[in-house]
Amino acid sequence: SKMTVKAVKMPCTSANVYTKVPDGGWGWTVAFAFFVVEALTYGIIKSFGVFFNDLMESFDETNSRISWIISICVFVQTFTAPLSTVLSNRFGHRLVVMAGGLLVSAGMVIASFARSVVEMYIAIGIVSGLGYCLSFLPTVTILSQYFDKRRSLVTAVASTGECFAVFSFAPAITALKEQIGWRYSMLSVGVLQLGIAACGSLLRPIVIREQEEVKAQPPEESTETKYMLENEQTCTSIESIDSGVDITTSPSNVPGKTKAEPKSEEPKQHGQNPVENNSTPPEPKTKLLDFSVMRDYSFICYAFFGLFATLGFFAPSLYIIPLSRSLGIGKDHSAYILSAMAIAEVFGRIFAGWVLNKKPIRKIYIELICVVLLSVALVAFPFASGFWGLMICSVYFGFMLGTVAGTHIPLLAEDDVVGIERMSSAAGVYVFIQSLAGLAGPPLAGVLVDTTKNYSSAFYSCAAGMVLGAMFLALVRPCKTGLCHHHQQQQQVEESTTGPPPELPDDFIDMDIGKAENSGKGSDSV
């Protein structure tokens, strides 16, 4: 059957209604918007390390206190994820992302005029952090709704926007600082982030209708066939309407036929009455935030995986430049290392999307393998020496980071976790749980660096969190299958003990009438 599309007018926006997931169409425009949003959100966050030394010198602060800028930003971004879900379900993804883009830009512009690290906490940490949440999460959620078979590949390729941003922004901002200083460079970044609001205007809503609802109106032949059957029962013809025979679906017009009543009621139940076809059945209310996912043990394990894995997402990108400087590598070469990591992450995301797009394949197991290999990459950093040793570790880490970072949120739409129906609420709760690690990760690494006077301790802490995340990720699939099978067994036991309710035959009325007639004849014969 051909896929039907019709536009439904809504306040301030219009939605496309599909009978199934389009796997393309306007989804390609949404994918491009997600690419740019990724570049201007996570791309800027990961490139923020180029400002670290400048902020430490300007504000005369320690490494750990400067690290709190990104920590608060990541915490606010993840902590307010349920708010982003509620606002998206209430006002739509488009308006929420546009508002988030304005907040991101405003926070970065205000930070360029900050005179203390506390003002940086408020501007970038709170204002921009809230804007990042309102921009990123609704975009990735609506992109997952536009694709089904190609979801993993399209999401992975579109998420490479942050990699290209790190690759281009890190050297560009470094060169720009040499010309106009770090304050005007940060101001330029804030103005550039206004592009998030423009991308938000491209997020056209999508509504998926089941095929049965589209086929609710039957062809006219079914109505004519119904009338012909009733005419045969009343011994009339279609042309005998003027003879005084009233042809309707009422059982009173079919004398002596007891079964005419269910025939007349059946079309009404299936929506075949032409009068009722014009009325649309009321739609169920959409929950603004569905916390029922917290009762799913597989989702709980997946959420703990995200909690601990977040420790290894941001710290390496923040500390790779200070680590390279501590090894005697110059500023320009340090920026090249960060750019090489971003390029490798691009290939990692594309490779992961290509692998996960293969069928049949258990995607949760592929994710587990990538997380284990990412843990190995984090452990390898302290053993690197010199420019090329650090470059090899960065490329390996960037590739493995791309396989995990570009797929861990879209995997919520898989049946092994929660499924596409509950992905919107699950994404909000999942990112909310990540907020604790986002808040504690970079400062914890900064405290370890200040205590040990060695940047290797920051990478060890990230590796420890990634190993714990891998352990919880390994429990997702067993929890899903084990609990489902246990629940099915309980239902089977209950059905075997109680037994199904007795079903009456369709013609039980005729059977009773027949018995009554036979008993009457027997009494007459006596």
Side-chain angles (χ1 to χ4, degrees):
S1 60
K2 293 184 178 180
M3 180 176 59
T4 60
V5 181
K6 89 181 160 178
V8 178
K9 297 298 182 182
M10 293 183 178
C12 301
T13 184
S14 60
N16 282 340
V17 180
Y18 296 88
T19 58
K20 63 178 181 179
V21 180
D23 258 329
W26 190 257
W28 299 116
T29 305
V30 177
F32 171 76
F34 179 58
F35 178 89
V36 178
V37 170
E38 274 270 357
L40 298 178
T41 54
Y42 280 102
I44 298 297
I45 293 176
K46 289 187 176 182
S47 302
F48 197 78
V50 299
F51 292 108
F52 258 50
N53 293 330
D54 300 298
L55 296 178
M56 291 174 62
E57 295 175 1
S58 298
F59 300 139
D60 193 19
E61 296 288 352
T62 62
N63 202 321
S64 59
R65 284 181 61 86
I66 297 299
S67 300
W68 275 101
I69 298 174
I70 294 299
S71 299
I72 296 175
C73 177
V74 174
F75 172 75
V76 173
Q77 175 189 3
T78 53
F79 186 81
T80 55
L83 174 64
S84 173
T85 300
V86 171
L87 293 178
S88 298
N89 292 334
R90 177 64 179 86
F91 301 103
H93 299 80
R94 177 181 295 174
L95 294 179
V96 174
V97 174
M98 294 177 67
L102 296 178
L103 287 176
V104 170
S105 178
M108 192 65 69
V109 170
I110 295 174
S112 64
F113 298 98
R115 296 300 175 183
S116 66
V117 69
V118 176
E119 295 179 3
M120 298 287 289
Y121 292 161
I122 298 174
I124 296 180
I126 298 178
V127 179
S128 292
L130 179 60
Y132 286 135
C133 176
L134 299 181
S135 302
F136 171 76
L137 196 58
T139 309
V140 69
T141 301
I142 194 173
L143 177 63
S144 299
Q145 296 174 0
Y146 268 97
F147 292 90
D148 182 17
K149 297 178 181 179
R150 304 172 180 172
R151 181 186 301 135
S152 299
L153 181 60
V154 172
T155 306
V157 174
S159 65
T160 58
E162 71 175 80
C163 308
F164 284 105
V166 175
F167 169 71
S168 58
F169 288 168
I173 295 176
T174 302
L176 193 62
K177 287 192 306 177
E178 300 294 334
Q179 301 295 327
I180 61 177
W182 71 267
R183 290 187 179 275
Y184 286 105
S185 299
M186 189 173 292
L187 177 64
S188 302
V189 171
V191 174
L192 182 64
Q193 287 179 315
L194 283 174
I196 298 176
C199 292
S201 63
L202 301 176
L203 304 181
R204 183 178 299 174
I206 178 175
V207 178
I208 305 297
R209 301 289 189 190
E210 295 295 335
Q211 189 71 22
E212 288 76 12
E213 296 183 10
V214 178
K215 292 183 178 180
Q217 296 183 358
E220 297 180 356
E221 288 78 9
S222 60
T223 306
E224 297 178 358
T225 306
K226 175 186 63 177
Y227 288 159
M228 291 177 64
L229 291 175
E230 293 184 358
N231 289 333
E232 291 180 0
Q233 293 176 349
T234 53
C235 300
T236 61
S237 63
I238 299 251
E239 288 85 9
S240 64
I241 298 179
D242 295 334
S243 63
V245 180
D246 185 49
I247 302 177
T248 64
T249 58
S250 173
S252 61
N253 295 317
V254 192
K257 299 292 181 179
T258 309
K259 294 184 181 181
E261 183 173 355
K263 288 184 179 180
S264 62
E265 295 294 334
E266 182 179 356
K268 294 181 181 181
Q269 294 177 357
H270 292 279
Q272 294 180 358
N273 194 330
V275 177
E276 295 181 356
N277 282 339
N278 296 329
S279 61
T280 304
E283 297 181 359
K285 285 186 177 181
T286 303
K287 293 183 179 180
L288 296 180
L289 189 61
D290 187 6
F291 280 102
S292 65
V293 295
M294 295 300 296
R295 296 195 297 266
D296 195 334
Y297 288 99
S298 62
F299 172 76
I300 294 176
C301 291
Y302 197 83
F304 274 108
F305 150 70
L307 175 67
F308 291 106
T310 304
L311 293 174
F313 283 167
F314 295 100
S317 300
L318 294 176
Y319 286 99
I320 188 63
I321 291 182
L323 176 62
S324 62
R325 295 297 303 276
S326 67
L327 296 177
I329 302 174
K331 292 182 180 180
D332 296 336
H333 288 79
S334 299
Y336 292 153
I337 293 176
L338 187 60
S339 299
M341 181 189 297
I343 295 175
E345 188 175 346
V346 171
F347 289 100
R349 289 172 182 265
I350 297 175
F351 175 77
W354 176 75
V355 171
L356 295 179
N357 200 48
K358 297 293 183 181
K359 290 181 178 295
I361 192 173
R362 186 64 62 184
K363 299 180 180 180
I364 200 74
Y365 293 150
I366 301 298
E367 185 81 357
L368 177 60
I369 295 174
C370 296
V371 171
V372 173
L373 295 177
L374 181 59
S375 303
V376 176
L378 289 169
V379 176
F381 271 103
F383 298 96
S385 61
F387 173 77
W388 288 108
L390 199 59
M391 176 69 76
I392 294 174
C393 291
S394 299
V395 170
Y396 175 55
F397 170 79
F399 183 85
M400 298 314 306
L401 178 64
T403 60
V404 177
T407 56
H408 70 108
I409 292 181
L411 277 182
L412 290 169
E414 300 299 326
D415 294 334
D416 284 339
V417 189
V418 295
I420 188 63
E421 293 81 7
R422 297 189 294 170
M423 189 214 172
S424 179
S425 296
V429 177
Y430 172 76
V431 177
F432 170 77
I433 294 175
Q434 285 184 292
S435 61
L436 297 178
L439 177 66
L444 175 61
V447 170
L448 291 176
V449 170
D450 293 336
T451 303
T452 62
K453 305 300 179 181
N454 190 351
Y455 286 100
S456 299
S457 57
F459 293 90
Y460 283 134
S461 65
C462 295
M466 195 64 65
V467 170
L468 289 175
M471 294 173 60
F472 281 101
L473 183 61
L475 297 175
V476 173
R477 176 65 181 169
C479 287
K480 194 70 171 182
T481 56
L483 292 177
C484 290
H485 291 167
H486 181 68
H487 182 66
Q488 291 178 357
Q489 290 177 358
Q490 285 184 345
Q491 288 183 344
Q492 292 177 358
V493 170
E494 292 178 358
E495 291 179 358
S496 61
T497 54
T498 58
E503 296 182 357
L504 297 176
D506 295 336
D507 55 347
F508 73 98
I509 298 179
D510 293 341
M511 294 173 62
D512 293 338
I513 295 176
K515 289 181 181 180
E517 291 178 354
N518 293 334
S519 61
K521 290 180 181 180
S523 60
D524 293 341
S525 61
V526 173

